[in-house]
Amino acid sequence: MPERKSYHHGNLRQALVDATLALIEEKGPNGFTLAEAARVAGVSPAAPYRHFKGREDLIAEAALQGFEIFADLLQHAYDGGRPSPLAAFETVGRAYLHFARTQPGHYIAMFESGVSVAGNPELAQAAARATSVLDEAAQTLTAHLPPDRRPPSSLVSHHIWAMSHGVVELFARGAPGARAPFSPEELLESGIGVYLRGLGVITD
């Protein structure tokens, strides 16, 4: 059980989000109640209802904050495609893995809690900002391909997103290297390389 925290007046909403993130990491997104989040935050069971309708609403806020952090991180990593589109794309992949490792509560709330992104306009906007970084990177990488061989950039970005998520789920959780003789970074970068060569983006 996460350690009980002393709540200081003035930041109840964030105290509850922080408690939720700790509980998600320990028990998963469905393994705790709203009353338990209140207890970890050091407030009464009724206190969360000042800001949230229920547990799902609280998890959605954790996911929203996660997507905002995630989008900022990916944008910083991409850095406008510098020093080259391919190098920037690889840096974005490493940033994805870094986020999953360092923000596990947010990551689970975003991608594994069942929270409805489409049903929450603010959440959908934050998620779209993160996706747009991958879309821009994919569009830049594939721009030189002949039109008849150029896949939609959104298709490429979603393929890379799926590959990144798979590496996180299979190889970046728990002890790194425990299930493969390669690091998650090596697995992701080599996988991206094979994929981009198959598209003709990389020819050497």
Side-chain angles (χ1 to χ4, degrees):
M1 168 65 62
E3 184 179 349
R4 181 188 176 100
K5 300 178 181 179
S6 296
Y7 163 66
H8 298 284
H9 180 70
N11 202 16
L12 171 60
R13 184 181 182 87
Q14 191 57 47
L16 289 164
V17 172
D18 292 343
T20 296
L21 291 169
L23 286 163
I24 287 173
E25 289 182 36
E26 184 194 19
K27 299 185 173 186
N30 299 312
F32 66 96
T33 65
L34 190 63
E36 196 170 357
R39 184 168 64 252
V40 172
V43 298
S44 72
Y49 293 100
R50 299 178 199 170
H51 295 283
F52 302 102
K53 297 176 182 177
R55 189 177 65 90
E56 290 74 16
D57 196 27
L58 186 49
I59 292 174
E61 176 62 25
L64 173 61
Q65 293 185 13
F67 272 117
E68 294 288 2
I69 296 168
F70 186 53
D72 288 343
L73 182 65
L74 294 188
Q75 286 180 329
H76 178 75
Y78 187 59
D79 192 25
R82 291 182 287 268
S84 71
L86 180 58
F89 203 65
E90 291 173 344
T91 302
V92 168
R94 289 191 292 272
Y96 191 108
L97 295 179
H98 175 76
F99 177 83
R101 280 202 188 100
T102 60
Q103 305 288 341
H106 281 124
Y107 190 88
I108 294 169
M110 292 155 61
F111 299 121
E112 300 171 16
S113 69
V115 64
S116 174
V117 174
N120 184 323
E122 193 176 8
L123 192 55
Q125 183 177 11
R129 189 163 70 89
T131 306
S132 70
V133 179
L134 287 175
D135 287 343
E136 180 184 353
Q139 186 172 22
T140 302
L141 276 173
T142 59
H144 69 282
L145 295 177
D148 61 333
R149 291 181 47 222
R150 186 188 308 146
S153 58
S154 61
L155 180 65
V156 174
S157 67
H158 279 77
H159 282 163
I160 297 299
W161 192 307
M163 190 184 305
S164 302
H165 189 72
V167 169
V168 167
E169 291 301 310
L170 292 173
F171 303 110
R173 295 283 175 86
R179 292 178 290 276
F182 310 102
S183 71
E185 287 77 11
E186 289 173 319
L187 288 167
L188 182 57
E189 289 180 18
S190 62
I192 289 174
V194 170
Y195 176 72
L196 293 179
R197 282 183 173 84
L199 291 178
V201 172
I202 301 175
T203 57
D204 59 355

